[in-house]
Amino acid sequence: MHPPVPVRSSAYLRWLNTALCLSLVLSFVAPAARAQQSSGAASDTRSELVWLARIQQAALRQNYAGHFVYQQGASMQSSRIAHLVEGANVFEKLEVLDGQPQEVIRKNDQVYCYIPGARTLLIERRPNPDQFPSLLRRPAAEVAEFYEIKLGGSERVAGVDCQMLTLKPKDDFRYGYRLWADRNTGLLLKAQTLDTQGNVIEQIAFTQIRIGGNIDRKLLRSSVASTEGWRIEKADLGRADAGLAQWQVKNVPPGFARTHEIVRSVGGRQQVGQIVYSDGLAAISVFIEPMANVPAGQREGSTVQGAVSVAMRKLGEHWLTVVGEVPMLSVRRVIGSMEQVAPTPVPAGAGTAPTASKPPGVSR
């Protein structure tokens, strides 16, 4: 949860495409009736996992349009979203309504982030979009290994009857969550991030929502008439980078796995590598760039804003920035155990042709 500029924070990081908007760090089964009572713990667990799966599927398959509000401390920001599914095609527009204008438009795996104030268009291919109100990056059963999941009661959000769920972390390396999902469709309508004491450190919730039916295509179009003269930055999360494979975290927090990596331009600077780790809910991004890219006087250190922890340090001839929607304990563990290892030698005569010579998306 996190508004695109300038505040940085958690489920919104996913909602507004973590990597796209983190440039500013560097310059969120069947139709449900009531959850049935069960006499066994195993049955309870199944119903809770079913709800997590329903939340994920609803975000992918439902048509919806509405307004939501993000809150972190005294800061609040309102946005508007429209999501349309037509057969195998998905279209979405997210528009920030407060402060500097910004839009994120998705057409299947192509994501376009318009920032008129900076005259910048960020274009990114994301094969597996995971923005709010999507939730899981991994199967629900894997997420349950590190969170204790409990069903709560029924509460209303934006006039809709919702099922409440609580996800309590089983260790100190991640935050807890409270979720409210539409009982009829499973769509996630409200989420709170909780610190280790159970206090709400940020939350995001729809204030108006329409689920199902037709979505007016006008709601999905960019309001930007022309990007002539704008800076265009492109990235492709579908491609791995051989150079980033040399970077490893020796002491990854339990449950977090490396999910993807990419080299991108960030804030106009080139060759900034990004490696992402996730436990299925929370994510930690490691940004790596040559010291030549870093402004003079940049200091090592760490800070916490809302649910997002940030740490920075110099390692050899590189500058590392670790950003995570996790407690500082996890971020410090990652940045403190980063290392660059020598690439594995390729045997003479191995392979036929470098994969880079093959056009992207073309199979052999």
Side-chain angles (χ1 to χ4, degrees), residues 29-36 41-59 61 135-136 139-144 149-151 163 165 179 181-187:
V29 188
R34 291 189 173 272
Q36 296 180 348
S43 178
D44 289 341
T45 301
R46 284 196 298 270
S47 64
E48 290 149 3
L49 296 184
V50 166
W51 265 104
L52 286 182
R54 290 191 68 218
I55 288 172
Q56 187 66 12
Q57 290 302 312
R61 298 178 180 178
L135 186 68
L136 306 182
E142 294 182 17
V143 172
I149 308 169
K150 292 185 178 181
L151 292 179
Q163 171 67 52
L165 296 86
L179 311 174
D182 174 21
R183 278 188 169 274
N184 185 41
T185 65
L187 187 67

Side-chain angles (χ1 to χ4, degrees), residues 335-354:
I335 202 168
S337 63
M338 287 291 299
E339 65 176 3
Q340 187 177 20
V341 299
T344 303
V346 178
T352 56

Side-chain angles (χ1 to χ4, degrees), residues 79-98:
S79 298
R80 176 167 52 211
I81 190 171
H83 183 271
L84 171 66
V85 179
E86 285 186 341
N89 297 311
V90 178
F91 306 90
E92 185 174 276
K93 178 181 177 181
L94 173 64
E95 181 181 6
V96 176
L97 301 178
D98 301 331

Side-chain angles (χ1 to χ4, degrees), residues 120-142:
T120 299
L121 172 60
L122 309 175
I123 304 175
E124 183 169 88
R125 189 177 79 86
R126 298 181 67 87
N128 299 298
D130 54 7
Q131 67 273 16
F132 188 94
S134 294
L135 186 68
L136 306 182
R137 295 179 172 94
R138 286 157 64 178
E142 294 182 17

Side-chain angles (χ1 to χ4, degrees), residues 31 50 62 156 164 249 259 277 303 353:
V50 166
Q62 293 289 334
R156 295 177 74 221
M164 197 265 277
V249 177
T259 60
Y277 291 82
T303 185

Side-chain angles (χ1 to χ4, degrees), residues 140-161:
E142 294 182 17
V143 172
E145 294 181 23
F146 300 95
Y147 295 87
E148 180 183 349
I149 308 169
K150 292 185 178 181
L151 292 179
S154 178
E155 299 182 15
R156 295 177 74 221
V157 176
V160 178
D161 289 333

